[in-house]
Amino acid sequence: MATESLKKPGTVTSQIVLLGAILTLGNLAQIIHRSSRVFLFQQAQCLIYYKFADPSKIDAQFQVDEALCKLGPIQSRLSMIDGVDAFLTCLPPLLVLATYKELLARVGLRRLVILGLCFSALEVLYTMAAFWFHRDWATPAALLSFLFALIGGGGVVRTIIIVKCIADIAPPES
């Protein structure tokens, strides 16, 4: 079993605390990333809208005042994009969970969690680059960031792996 090396006497509590901290920080980072993505999607849609509706609202840094982005057409499109993004984010865990169960037994917990964290970081970097470099194609490019979770598993798979490991190393009487 992949968690056998974690079952050392006297260190179970510290290992559970460490795994809990990794889980908490990973989920917190995911929440912060998600809220910033919504803002960046809004800015991208607002920029596209005002390119055609009123180009004078776009400043020299290709930004539009956030108050101008609260129009119905922009928010409607943003809601649709956010729904598509949420759906695409849910796909990788469904597709890779069985594979990760086998990988956990073969490569071990540490490598699998590190792989997941690395690809989560790459997903964030890719999203930032998509919004930074692609003015017109920012939204479609950023929506493709879910592909990184196909390799790393994403937050859901990371949570399942860590919770499984905590359950494996916790003493039966607790």
Side-chain angles (χ1 to χ4, degrees):
M1 180 178 276
T3 57
E4 288 299 320
S5 64
L6 294 174
K7 291 185 176 181
K8 296 176 184 170
T11 62
V12 171
T13 304
S14 62
Q15 290 170 348
I16 290 174
V17 168
L18 176 63
L19 289 171
I22 291 170
L23 181 66
T24 302
L25 290 175
N27 288 341
L28 178 63
Q30 191 173 3
I31 290 168
I32 291 170
H33 177 248
R34 179 89 181 123
S35 63
S36 66
R37 275 176 74 94
V38 171
F39 174 75
L40 292 172
F41 280 134
Q42 176 181 296
Q43 283 295 313
Q45 293 310 303
C46 198
L47 183 64
I48 290 169
Y49 178 81
Y50 281 107
K51 269 186 180 178
F52 298 107
D54 187 4
S56 67
K57 304 285 185 191
I58 302 172
D59 66 15
Q61 288 82 28
F62 294 100
Q63 298 289 319
V64 178
D65 185 32
E66 187 176 358
L68 296 173
C69 297
K70 303 303 180 190
L71 295 175
I74 297 170
Q75 292 300 310
S76 174
R77 182 128 169 95
L78 178 62
S79 296
M80 185 175 59
I81 290 167
D82 192 40
V84 168
D85 187 43
F87 174 75
L88 292 175
T89 302
C90 290
L91 282 181
L94 296 174
L95 298 174
V96 302
L97 194 56
T99 306
Y100 266 55
K101 184 178 176 185
E102 292 296 320
L103 279 175
L104 182 61
R106 289 189 182 158
V107 300
L109 167 72
R110 288 186 184 121
R111 289 184 182 148
L112 204 54
V113 170
I114 289 172
L115 178 73
L117 291 172
C118 287
F119 274 91
S120 290
L122 285 174
E123 179 182 358
V124 170
L125 291 174
Y126 171 78
T127 302
M128 289 177 8
F131 281 112
W132 182 261
F133 293 117
H134 302 288
R135 297 281 181 220
D136 294 329
W137 292 95
T139 299
L143 286 174
L144 291 176
S145 67
F146 83 96
L147 295 173
F148 286 97
L150 285 173
I151 300 168
V156 174
V157 172
R158 185 175 51 247
T159 300
I160 290 170
I161 289 171
I162 291 175
V163 169
K164 179 195 179 310
C165 291
I166 289 173
D168 286 348
I169 64 173
E173 63 274 357
S174 61

